[in-house]
Each structure stands twice: as structure tokens, then as C-alpha cells.
RNA sequence: GCCUAAUUAGCUCAGUUGGUUAGAGCACAUGACUGUUAAUCAUGGGGUCCAAGGUUCAAGUCCUUGAGGGGGAGCCA
């Protein structure tokens, strides 16, 4: 007999058919004559209801059937006598494939805290919540590839180990095979990386952008989607030491094209979630509603699905940094000194309280801020004609803050070199990047989307450690 | 690394101005129940009160230091 997964089984109306189904026990409710097993195999949110009649199923089998146990069940699919499900399986044979000691199994059929589940990340897939998150994450991966593929982009695998240490995106993890207790030294007493595996110092990548630029300046439209590593001591709900980033790079494009692409991409993947993850989103929405019951009404946010539709139906607000600073200067919290950091003059870096004010209070929708002061942005960004700003753009989302950071790139050789000198970027290790400005340089632009931040928005989760299966963060690489 | 409130049973939490033998709900075990929906009812077992040191006749409770985690800020995606 062919095994049916739970997803197909629970919608089947092929009553009286013999079925085989396998999965893990979520709960078992017993009485004298009959027991009910809720069986899940990850194929969907809902469980299959298995009915075990004590006349057909030996007591020693049911004695081994606890939450977490793996079962193989043969039986007859029948219309359910109870409410809450279309059908159920009248078991004729139950085999316990893997027992689960109820005194030791940590996942109970009740609400657990996210902190507890994080400490049991090896088993948290077995909860409704993490099943839903895992399925939505998978759907979003496909949506991203689908979007770029439809638009004629090529996917580029940028290197994970990199020899350049000047990407400027943060602290890097060293990659070495040298003996840490006794490394070879140079004459001046420093570690001699010329003796290392690659003959030079290497790190885990903090961004695939520079490599994506090389590809874009031949293939026109490319994107990377790969792991990214930052050795920052960031202890927040929005940062990971290992995360996945999507970085499109487009030749013959300026910063406006860049914003159009970013907005279209975000809307496409949100629509994809609504179209393909309805059951999981409904569960996530209900969970959020329960969480928010404790909050005062004024602090409650829009229901999840409504929030996703809102993003689809509204154009993102596009304003320059200069306009944003003006709005903030004139804002109530700034005048009444309610901000922790008061905005006084042009050139100040915006804090997350300011971004939140613009997105959640002032515009009440996603905001793209452009043309930042060059002093607070990276060396490769296109310098504007005003001499003060660069053609950067950050997409800010409610609750999450910066979800995308991008820019048009400086394609002019002389301007790029001048800027690199000003910012002490070592040219000798970047010769390959600079070469692209010597040979057929063209205007081009791109951005980086933090995949887990996108998932925070789509799932309504608030801690980034809960939207990646095995989070890496300071002091933790347990699983 | 900074700020902040916390750390008590397997889980979620309560524990009064320091004072007998540290409690509840859920989970688990046993029993009851002819169909449950996180079933219900009864009974029972279950504690290094985060760690180390200190104050005190007496510390879960007060003080000091440390650890890991939460929330916030910074760095960013």
C-alpha cells in the first residue's frame, strides 16, 4: 500500500478506502474503548485524526503511544463522526516505529515560550509554530528565485570564503588552517598568512555584492542568494552572525530603477505568501492575536494578513534623507524632546526610533529613504552632483526597520579611486573590482535584502532567531 | 561590550515586612468515562529556589561577583 501524506489524507473523500499513513504523535486522548491520536507529518498544519478502537489495537501498542512517538498506521478512511475534521482513519494496525519517553520528551501539547523552544531547536520543528515558519521560509525561497527568474536575472553563487577584507560591511570571521598555538610568524612578529591554506588571510564573506557587480557588468542582470557572516557582537532580535542575503545587481540601471525593482520584488514575494501559505499565515495571525490580547488596544498592530495586503496595495513612500530630516526636525517627539536622540542638523545618522516614527507614525506605510550624506555610507556608492550625498536607498518596514539597503554604484574610475583613498580602502586587494571601472564601465545599481528580516515581516515573528532553523549568534552555535 | 527587569517542579508561573515541612495550573503515572478535539473527573510521584561568596539566630526573599537567556540601544541586512 502506498503511503499517503497527511496533507492529502485530510482532504480526501475516498471513504472506506484502505490507507497507510506515517507521522509523529502530537496528542493522544484516551477513554475506555477508544483513543484518538492526532498525527502530523509536517506536510501541513493540520493533524490527521486516527481512531484506535481498543478491540482492534492491542493495549501494549497504545501504552507506547505518547507525544513525539513515530507511528505507521494502516486503516480505513471514514467520514468523521466528531466535529473538527472531515475524515478520520479507523486504525486496523498501528506500528510504533520510534518510541518517545514521555518523562523526557520536552515538547508538550501546550504553549511553550519561544525561549524554551530556542533551547530545544532540535525538536522545535515538531511544533505547529515552527512547522508553519519552516513551510513559509521554504515558500519565500522559491518566491525569490521565481521573481528574478521571470525577470531574466541569472543567479550567481558568490564565494563564501573571501580574500578581500575591505567590503566594509562589518567584522569578519577568519578562515585559517594554521596552528593557532604555533602559527608561522613574519620577521616583524606578525602571523604569516602567506603560509596559510590560500597563501593569504581569508574570511567568511560579509556580502556578495562586489562579486555580483563583476557578474552584472557582463550578464546585465544577476542576483545572489547565499549565506553571509558577520562577527559583530550584536545581541538583538534583528541580527544574526550567519544569515541569508539576496543581492541583485543590475547594469544600465540607476537608483530609481533600483527602488522600482526592490518594491516589485517585495510585493511579489508577499503576494506569493498569500497565495501559497494561507493555512500557515492564518495560524500565525491567530497566534499574534493571542499574544496581543495582553497589550492595550492602542499598541496592537494590524492582523497579519491585513498587514501583508496593505503592503501590496500601497506604493512605498519615497523621500530623500534631507526631506526625512526636515520631517523629523518638525515632529512632535523631536520638539518635545521625546526622542532619545534629538535631530538637530543635517548629517545626523538616523536612529531606529526615527525610522520607526517615519514608518509607523508619520507615513504609516513602507518608506524608502534616498540620497544619504556620503559620510555615513559605503565607499562604492554613486556620488550625487551636489557633492554632499550619495545615491543610496534604504527600504524601511514597520516593526523591522531596515529590510533593504542598496545604492547606485560609483561607475566613474576617478571618483571611485578618490573616495577609496579618502576612506582608506586598500586598493591593492581590490584591483579586480577597480578593473570593472576601467573596462566598459556603465551605471549600475543593486541592493541587499536580509532574507530573515523579510521572514520576520511575513510571519509576524519578532525575533530573528525564530525564523532560521539553526540561528548563529554570540555565544551560541549549539545545534 | 552598554542599559533594563528577570532566573523557583519537565513546562508556564505564584511565593507578603527575612520566620514551621516552598505552592498552583499544565505535563507524567494510576484509576474512572461508549466519540475526544490542548477532552473531563479522582488520586499520586516530582524541587541543587541559576552559580559562587557574604550579612543574619534564621535567606527562595537582603548584599557582592559571575553565567546564560529576555527586552531595549548601537553596528547593519
Amino acid at each position: 500500500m502506498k503511503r499517503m501524506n497527511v496533507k492529502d489524507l485530510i482532504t480526501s473523500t475516498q471513504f472506506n478506502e484502505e490507507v497507510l499513513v506515517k507521522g509523529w504523535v502530537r496528542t493522544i486522548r484516551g477513554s475506555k474503548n477508544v483513543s484518538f491520536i492526532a498525527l502530523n507529518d509536517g506536510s501541513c498544519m493540520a493533524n490527521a485524526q486516527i481512531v484506535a478502537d481498543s478491540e482492534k489495537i492491542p493495549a501494549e501498542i497504545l501504552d507506547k503511544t505518547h507525544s513525539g512517538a513515530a507511528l505507521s498506521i494502516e486503516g480505513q478512511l471514514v467520514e468523521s463522526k466528531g466535529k473538527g475534521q472531515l475524515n478520520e482513519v479507523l486504525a486496523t494496525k498501528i506500528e510504533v516505529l520510534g518510541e518517545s519517553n514521555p518523562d523526557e520528551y520536552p515538547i508538550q501539547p501546550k504553549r511553550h515560550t519561544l525561549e524554551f523552544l530556542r533551547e530545544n531547536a532540535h525538536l522545535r520543528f515538531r511544533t505547529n509554530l515552527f512547522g508553519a515558519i519552516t513551510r513559509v521560509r521554504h515558500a519565500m525561497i522559491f518566491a525569490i528565485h521565481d521573481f528574478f527568474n521571470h525577470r531574466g536575472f541569472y543567479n550567481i553563487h558568490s564565494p563564501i570564503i573571501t580574500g578581500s577584507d575591505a567590503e566594509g560591511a562589518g567584522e569578519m570571521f577568519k578562515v585559517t588552517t594554521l596552528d593557532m598555538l604555533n602559527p608561522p610568524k613574519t620577521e616583524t612578529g606578525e602571523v604569516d598568512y602567506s603560509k596559510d591554506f590560500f597563501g593569504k588571510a581569508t574570511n567568511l564573506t560579509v556580502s556578495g555584492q562586489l562579486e555580483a557587480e563583476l557578474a552584472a557588468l557582463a550578464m546585465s542582470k544577476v542576483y545572489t542568494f547565499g549565506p553571509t557572516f558577520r562577527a559583530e557582537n550584536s545581541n538583538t532580535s534583528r541580527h544574526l552572525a550567519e544569515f541569508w542575503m539576496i543581492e541583485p545587481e543590475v547594469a544600465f540601471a540607476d537608483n530609481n530603477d533600483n527602488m522600482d525593482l526592490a518594491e516589485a520584488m517585495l510585493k511579489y514575494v508577499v503576494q506569493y505568501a498569500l497565495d501559497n501559505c494561507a493555512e500557515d499565515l492564518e495560524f500565525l495571525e491567530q497566534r499574534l492575536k493571542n499574544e496581543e490580547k495582553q497589550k492595550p488596544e492602542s499598541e496592537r498592530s494590524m492582523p497579519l494578513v491585513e498587514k501583508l495586503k496593505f503592503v501590496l496595495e500601497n506604493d512605498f513612500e519615497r523621500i530623500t534623507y534631507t526631506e526625512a530630516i526636515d520631517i523629523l526636525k518638525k515632529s512632535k517627539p523631536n520638539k518635545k524632546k521625546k526622542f532619545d536622540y534629538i535631530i538637530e542638523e543635517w548629517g545626523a545618522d538616523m536612529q531606529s526610533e526615527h525610522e520607526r516614527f517615519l514608518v509607523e507614525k508619520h507615513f504609516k506605510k513602507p518608506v524608502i529613504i534616498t540620497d544619504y550624506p556620503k559620510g555615513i555610507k559605503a565607499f562604492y556608492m554613486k556620488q550625487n552632483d551636489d557633492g554632499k550625498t550619495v545615491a543610496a536607498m534604504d527600504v524601511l518596514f514597520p516593526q523591522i526597520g531596515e529590510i533593504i539597503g542598496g545604492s547606485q554604484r560609483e561607475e566613474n574610475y576617478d571618483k571611485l579611486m578618490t573616495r577609496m583613498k579618502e576612506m582608506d580602502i586598500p586598493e591593492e586587494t581590490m584591483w579586480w573590482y577597480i578593473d570593472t571601472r576601467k573596462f566598459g564601465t556603465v551605471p549600475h545599481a543593486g541592493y541587499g535584502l536580509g532574507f530573515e528580516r523579510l521572514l520576520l515581516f511575513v510571519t509576524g515573528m519578532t525575533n530573528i532567531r525564530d525564523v532560521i532553523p539553526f540561528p548563529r549568534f554570540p555565544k551560541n552555535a549549539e545545534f
Side-chain angles (χ1 to χ4, degrees):
Chain A
M1 206 185 316
K2 193 165 169 268
R3 180 172 73 91
M4 240 178 142
N5 68 24
V6 170
K7 186 182 181 179
D8 295 332
L9 183 134
I10 57 171
T11 51
S12 171
T13 50
Q14 302 290 310
F15 297 131
N16 302 319
E17 206 170 68
E18 291 297 313
V19 292
L20 169 67
V21 60
K22 301 182 186 187
W24 292 266
V25 177
R26 282 292 170 79
T27 62
I28 174 163
R29 298 174 290 273
S31 64
K32 195 176 183 181
N33 298 323
V34 65
S35 294
F36 299 91
I37 299 165
L39 195 78
N40 190 284
D41 67 356
S43 59
C44 62
M45 170 68 58
N47 304 316
Q49 170 149 285
I50 312 298
V51 183
D53 192 314
S54 53
E55 282 181 12
K56 289 183 193 148
I57 305 300
E60 61 261 33
I61 294 288
L62 289 174
D63 285 347
K64 287 191 220 165
T65 305
H66 295 106
S67 288
L71 303 183
S72 173
I73 291 148
E74 287 174 39
Q76 199 180 18
L77 190 74
V78 296
E79 196 166 357
S80 181
K81 287 186 201 168
K83 284 175 188 166
Q85 58 279 318
L86 173 71
N87 61 32
E88 58 196 24
V89 177
L90 285 178
T92 49
K93 186 182 166 196
I94 296 181
E95 187 186 347
V96 180
L97 300 173
E99 289 186 47
S100 175
N101 184 338
D103 290 328
E104 291 172 24
Y105 186 60
I107 308 298
Q108 297 169 8
K110 60 171 265 189
R111 190 191 158 275
H112 285 109
T113 59
L114 294 170
E115 291 85 352
F116 175 76
L117 292 172
R118 233 168 270 150
E119 286 166 12
N120 291 280
H122 58 311
L123 297 170
R124 66 180 179 171
F125 293 104
R126 299 182 182 206
T127 62
N128 285 335
L129 177 61
F130 283 88
I133 292 169
T134 302
R135 285 184 293 270
V136 172
R137 185 178 168 106
H138 165 84
M140 290 295 91
I141 292 167
F142 265 77
I144 295 279
H145 283 299
D146 203 37
F147 172 80
F148 286 116
N149 185 46
H150 273 117
R151 289 191 169 224
F153 282 66
Y154 297 109
N155 180 229
I156 301 296
H157 285 157
S158 54
I160 291 165
I161 298 171
T162 171
S164 68
D165 56 0
E167 288 159 20
E171 288 295 311
M172 304 178 96
F173 289 102
K174 288 190 171 64
V175 176
T176 180
T177 55
L178 294 177
D179 179 359
M180 287 173 72
L181 292 175
N182 188 23
K185 298 275 179 69
T186 62
E187 284 174 10
T188 52
E190 283 157 349
V191 174
D192 185 1
Y193 284 105
S194 71
K195 303 263 174 25
D196 204 349
F197 187 90
F198 294 107
K200 63 187 293 193
T202 51
N203 299 294
L204 293 178
T205 184
V206 292
S207 163
Q209 179 201 315
L210 302 185
E211 291 87 353
E213 283 188 53
L214 310 184
L217 291 170
M219 310 298 290
S220 296
K221 292 191 278 188
V222 303
Y223 70 107
T224 72
F225 188 164
T228 313
F229 308 88
R230 306 267 167 98
E232 304 284 346
N233 189 18
S234 295
N235 291 287
T236 81
S237 55
R238 302 185 311 281
H239 292 85
L240 290 164
E242 177 182 302
F243 63 100
W244 290 70
M245 189 152 64
I246 293 109
E247 295 178 287
E249 196 69 36
V250 185
F252 317 109
D254 63 16
N255 208 31
N256 280 319
D257 300 322
N258 208 24
M259 287 188 272
D260 290 344
L261 182 70
E263 185 165 345
M265 178 197 68
L266 288 167
K267 286 180 172 173
Y268 184 91
V269 299
V270 166
Q271 182 68 57
Y272 193 96
L274 288 169
D275 291 345
N276 292 278
C277 307
E279 185 188 36
D280 291 320
L281 291 179
E282 197 179 309
F283 174 85
L284 290 162
E285 174 169 301
Q286 196 52 49
R287 179 192 158 273
L288 276 177
K289 277 183 187 161
N290 294 339
E291 292 277 301
E292 294 203 335
K293 270 181 191 163
Q294 286 121 15
K295 289 188 190 171
E297 206 151 321
S298 60
E299 285 176 32
R300 290 181 200 171
S301 56
M302 234 182 252
L304 182 61
V305 171
E306 195 181 322
K307 197 178 75 176
L308 298 180
K309 286 183 178 160
F310 184 82
V311 164
L312 292 180
E313 288 159 7
N314 289 280
D315 289 339
F316 297 2
E317 189 70 33
R318 299 183 186 189
I319 58 167
T320 65
Y321 166 88
T322 305
E323 289 164 343
I325 290 291
D326 272 349
I327 291 166
L328 288 167
K329 262 201 225 167
K330 290 174 192 157
S331 71
K332 260 191 198 169
N334 204 58
K335 284 181 178 167
K336 293 189 173 176
K337 304 212 187 298
K338 288 278 166 64
F339 283 141
D340 289 334
Y341 297 86
I342 304 301
I343 296 286
E344 278 164 3
E345 55 190 58
W346 192 91
D349 211 347
M350 267 182 259
Q351 310 293 318
S352 48
E353 58 180 344
H354 306 129
E355 296 178 351
R356 273 207 310 275
F357 174 82
L358 291 170
V359 173
E360 292 166 19
K361 297 277 187 313
H362 190 82
F363 290 111
K364 295 191 169 74
K365 60 177 175 175
V367 176
I368 310 181
I369 300 182
T370 64
D371 303 294
Y372 282 84
K374 65 177 180 181
I376 58 174
K377 289 288 179 184
F379 75 92
Y380 49 71
M381 294 190 178
K382 169 82 179 169
Q383 295 163 59
N384 288 327
D385 294 337
D386 62 12
K388 297 194 300 184
T389 61
V390 289
M393 66 101 179
D394 285 359
V395 181
L396 310 180
F397 261 37
Q399 286 153 348
I400 291 146
E402 187 176 342
I403 195 168
I404 282 178
S407 70
Q408 187 173 339
R409 319 305 189 187
E410 182 55 75
E411 85 276 14
N412 180 283
Y413 177 83
D414 294 328
K415 283 185 181 169
L416 181 65
M417 293 301 282
T418 305
R419 197 74 189 121
M420 284 177 76
K421 285 198 179 77
E422 281 171 7
M423 296 177 81
D424 287 324
I425 310 291
E427 322 167 10
E428 51 294 353
T429 61
M430 300 286 286
W431 63 272
W432 45 272
Y433 182 72
I434 298 163
D435 254 13
T436 55
R437 274 58 170 178
K438 286 200 234 169
F439 308 121
T441 189
V442 296
H444 62 290
Y447 59 82
L449 165 74
F451 183 59
E452 283 76 18
R453 289 195 181 167
L454 172 67
L455 281 173
L456 284 179
F457 182 73
V458 174
T459 61
M461 300 298 290
T462 52
N463 193 316
I464 202 160
R465 295 168 187 182
D466 297 326
V467 294
I468 187 168
F470 304 105
R472 295 285 176 266
F473 52 95
K475 304 262 159 62
N476 194 302
E478 182 67 28
F479 299 99

